[in-house]
Amino acid sequence: MDVTPLIVFKNATLGYGRKIVLKDISFEINEGDYFGMVGPNGAGKTTLLRAILQTLKPMSGAVSFNPRSDAAMRFGYVPQRDTVDHIMPYTVHEVVMMGRYRQIGLFRLPRKEDHEIVLESLRHVGIEGLRGMSFRDLSGGQKQRVLIARALASKPAVLILDEPTNGMDLSSRVSILELIHTLHEENKLTVIMVSHLLDDVVNYVKRIALVEQSFFQVGTVDEVLTEKNLSAVYQLPVSVRSVDGAKAISIRGLRGDT
Amino acid sequence: MEIHDIVVTILAEFPYALYGSMLVGAVCAFLGVYIVAKRVVFLGAVLTQVSVFGLALTFLPAFALPHTVGSLAITLVAVMILSRLLTGRRIPKDAVLGFVFVFSIAVRILVMQKAPKVEVSEIESLLRGDILFVTPELFYLMSGVFVLAMTVHLAFFKEFTYISFDAETANTQGFKADIWEMLFYMIAAVVISVATHMVGDIFVFGFLVIPPVAAMLLVRRVKKIFLASVVIGLLSPSVGLLLAFKFDFPSSPTMVAVGAVVLCAAWLVNRLRVN
């Protein structure tokens, strides 16, 4: 299968000020990838994400974007939902419309076409009925869908999600992960998902980066998420098993697990 | 004095007090919505004190500028420094604001002690602003500032609300959040600086906070919050001025007190609606 590299990290060192977070990393994210980035808290996942979003320049090396692919510059970003304002009662429609602001441009009001795209995005994530509600009054899962709809409204080629299932109950988590999977499969979106929850990523993504300051590996899930790698990164005896055709990750020796 | 007589007196003798306080009330109420939403309410108090400090500086021979120019210059410099410090993560926002607040007051007192040939009470009176003696010149200057602030805010309503709601994502979409933040704070600085010189710090800080919070309690849509806040900002000073004349109260605190009554009523309405 022919793959087009979309984002290329070449010997990139990332950090803030003089503090190095990730050193000398090289890997590629391809067009059509479903790419996961996992690792413990504080390992550098957000730093990596910021480099992809071009809000952080590498200290050395290069992060380049395929100039032949227009997809490389069309990101739809879904932030962690607790980073947005919960004071002002923006409606769901207003929040999703923000995804169109770049296309609308300065000094212009949203056109009929923009409102239609907002509705289409809401339909896509199954929350058309919530469009008049206040964003701040929604449940965690509904808010996540609104933020995904906002990212879709910008007509992205790459959907980037930062901890999309953080703090959700099991059914909301599965529902959001299935939605992202559907968007990847049916809309051919390249998806980059950051999570510290291994279970969320392991059975969905095609390729994965295991991130830790002294450990960085990229490959397929089977190549990267091995007991040896995970035990080294998390400093715990990690077990990787297959249960009903799905991967399950647990800690050996906890509560009767052997 | 009957209400009718008071109205006639105000319109005949103190028209700029009425128009000026309504104008400042409206523009502060509009900007205040962002300030409350950004959780930087104390910034309003800080900028009023910085502005008063800038004004005090103009009494020194070395800084003998027109009062409004001195106040504006110092407030703009403070905003440039603050906008950097407020986006950093090393020092908490409230600590930065607290330091600038107390520093401005302390230095102002020192400056006033060294101001030659002027009574401290005279300077204090000028620094605090006096609504009743708003001059036509100051009123027209404030009108210009009002038009500038509203034009910029209405022209870039999308951008300001996006940055205020989710600066991180706006950044990834090509909106330079720090530049928009700087523009917002610059406009706030100009408004606060001119308004403080005109009507005093109590009024300005009061109307940056009270109408937006009351509006947030009363209505449930963002555009309506801006509208309700401006309406409260327009009406409270006029009612306050009437009451100040009727009961011989100082005007600024009375206007702020009227705003506070509106806020309490809004809170009550909100509670009744929730229950």
Side-chain angles (χ1 to χ4, degrees):
Chain A
M1 195 177 133
D2 204 19
V3 288
T4 311
L6 206 61
I7 307 163
V8 181
F9 282 71
K10 195 172 179 187
N11 304 114
T13 295
L14 306 173
Y16 306 93
R18 289 181 188 169
K19 188 188 170 197
I20 293 172
V21 178
L22 293 167
K23 195 175 178 184
D24 200 23
I25 55 172
S26 297
F27 71 101
E28 292 172 358
I29 297 174
N30 302 317
E31 208 162 334
D33 248 346
Y34 191 163
F35 193 86
M37 293 197 281
V38 295
N41 290 332
K45 302 186 294 292
T46 302
T47 306
L48 203 53
L49 196 65
R50 289 191 61 194
I52 292 170
L53 290 165
Q54 302 169 72
T55 56
L56 180 72
K57 286 183 181 165
M59 298 163 85
S60 66
V63 180
S64 55
F65 300 85
N66 187 345
R68 284 175 299 171
S69 169
D70 71 324
M73 297 307 286
R74 289 195 290 127
F75 292 130
Y77 176 56
V78 182
Q80 294 188 32
R81 57 187 192 286
D82 56 1
T83 62
V84 304
D85 166 39
H86 286 87
I87 292 181
M88 294 288 272
Y90 290 100
T91 63
V92 166
H93 189 94
E94 285 168 337
V95 171
V96 178
M97 183 60 82
M98 289 175 189
R100 298 292 307 156
Y101 282 179
R102 187 178 178 184
Q103 286 84 350
I104 294 168
L106 291 172
F107 306 111
R108 293 206 178 114
L109 293 171
R111 296 149 297 186
K112 190 180 169 201
E113 176 199 339
D114 297 304
H115 288 286
E116 282 166 3
I117 291 171
V118 166
L119 280 178
E120 181 194 315
S121 305
L122 288 170
R123 259 196 299 271
H124 228 106
V125 300
I127 52 166
E128 197 188 354
L130 301 179
R131 63 187 286 248
M133 285 188 69
S134 281
F135 176 79
R136 67 180 185 186
D137 295 336
L138 303 179
S139 70
Q142 289 170 329
K143 281 180 183 165
Q144 201 61 57
R145 282 176 185 264
V146 174
L147 295 178
I148 292 172
R150 183 181 65 172
L152 294 178
S154 67
K155 297 281 177 190
V158 184
L159 188 63
I160 301 178
L161 305 104
D162 190 4
E163 305 278 5
T165 56
N166 214 4
M168 284 185 191
D169 61 33
L170 186 62
S171 66
S172 301
R173 272 169 64 186
V174 171
S175 145
I176 289 294
L177 291 167
E178 286 296 327
L179 169 67
I180 298 166
H181 184 71
T182 306
L183 291 171
H184 168 69
E185 289 288 321
E186 292 179 5
N187 297 58
K188 309 297 173 205
L189 275 175
T190 304
V191 175
I192 301 172
M193 183 164 77
V194 171
S195 181
H196 69 279
L197 302 168
L198 287 169
D199 289 336
D200 282 4
V201 176
V202 69
N203 291 304
Y204 287 94
V205 302
K206 290 175 183 165
R207 293 173 68 238
I208 198 162
L210 182 57
V211 185
E212 216 275 315
Q213 287 181 11
S214 57
F215 185 100
F216 186 84
Q217 193 177 341
V218 176
T220 63
V221 172
D222 286 333
E223 287 166 352
V224 176
L225 295 189
T226 62
E227 291 185 351
K228 187 183 165 199
N229 284 349
L230 291 170
S231 299
V233 166
Y234 289 92
Q235 301 284 300
L236 287 164
V238 178
S239 153
V240 181
R241 290 176 299 179
S242 185
V243 180
D244 295 335
K247 273 189 185 298
I249 296 170
S250 59
I251 309 297
R252 276 199 298 267
L254 283 181
R255 293 187 177 85
D257 195 0
T258 53
Chain B
M1 226 172 159
E2 293 303 314
I3 294 292
H4 174 263
D5 299 330
I6 295 172
V7 173
V8 169
T9 307
I10 290 173
L11 290 176
E13 306 288 331
F14 305 98
Y16 292 108
L18 178 65
Y19 308 146
S21 57
M22 289 174 76
L23 192 63
V24 175
V27 72
C28 285
F30 185 89
L31 286 181
V33 175
Y34 287 106
I35 286 176
V36 172
K38 284 171 182 285
R39 293 184 170 87
V40 287
V41 164
F42 200 40
L43 179 79
V46 171
L47 289 184
T48 52
Q49 292 311 319
V50 170
S51 160
V52 169
F53 158 57
L55 221 151
L57 265 185
T58 60
F59 287 96
L60 294 178
F63 297 94
L65 296 165
H67 299 319
T68 308
V69 175
S71 160
L72 193 57
I74 292 292
T75 314
L76 286 174
V77 170
V79 156
M80 277 190 249
I81 298 167
L82 277 173
S83 68
R84 298 291 298 174
L85 292 176
L86 289 176
T87 50
R89 291 183 180 176
R90 282 178 180 254
I91 312 172
K93 276 183 186 179
D94 53 355
V96 170
L97 294 173
F99 164 72
V100 179
F101 181 78
V102 78
F103 175 80
S104 304
I105 294 174
V107 179
R108 185 188 85 213
I109 293 167
L110 297 177
V111 166
M112 286 192 326
Q113 287 297 319
K114 295 294 174 189
K117 296 179 188 171
V118 192
E119 289 295 321
V120 169
S121 60
E122 195 181 329
I123 301 176
E124 273 292 352
S125 156
L126 188 58
L127 296 181
R128 297 281 165 199
D130 194 335
I131 290 175
L132 293 184
F133 299 102
V134 170
T135 60
E137 294 75 25
L138 210 45
F139 173 76
Y140 292 125
L141 174 65
M142 190 65 220
S143 304
V145 169
F146 174 84
V147 170
L148 171 79
M150 295 308 285
T151 305
V152 172
H153 272 279
L154 293 177
F156 301 119
F157 188 77
K158 296 197 311 287
E159 290 74 17
F160 281 123
T161 48
Y162 196 5
I163 303 293
S164 173
F165 177 73
D166 182 3
E168 187 187 352
T169 305
N171 247 331
T172 70
Q173 295 283 304
F175 297 95
K176 301 284 181 197
D178 47 357
I179 293 174
W180 286 105
E181 292 272 4
M182 174 72 92
L183 179 62
F184 171 79
Y185 288 128
M186 288 287 209
I187 292 168
V190 173
V191 168
I192 289 171
S193 164
V194 177
T196 303
H197 182 31
M198 185 168 157
V199 295
D201 53 354
I202 296 172
F203 183 100
V204 173
F205 184 47
F207 279 82
L208 281 172
V209 178
I210 294 170
V213 176
M216 282 174 187
L217 290 167
L218 284 174
V219 290
R220 302 279 169 90
R221 288 286 178 262
V222 173
K223 285 178 184 166
K224 286 183 181 171
I225 286 176
F226 279 99
L227 187 66
S229 183
V230 168
V231 170
I232 296 167
L234 275 171
L235 296 183
S236 300
S238 43
V239 176
L241 197 58
L242 273 176
L243 295 177
F245 266 78
K246 174 87 180 159
F247 299 104
D248 194 23
F249 285 146
S251 44
S252 265
T254 311
M255 291 171 182
V256 173
V258 169
V261 170
V262 174
L263 175 57
C264 291
W267 178 80
L268 205 62
V269 168
N270 183 264
R271 292 296 302 170
L272 290 172
R273 200 163 45 195
V274 169
N275 295 330

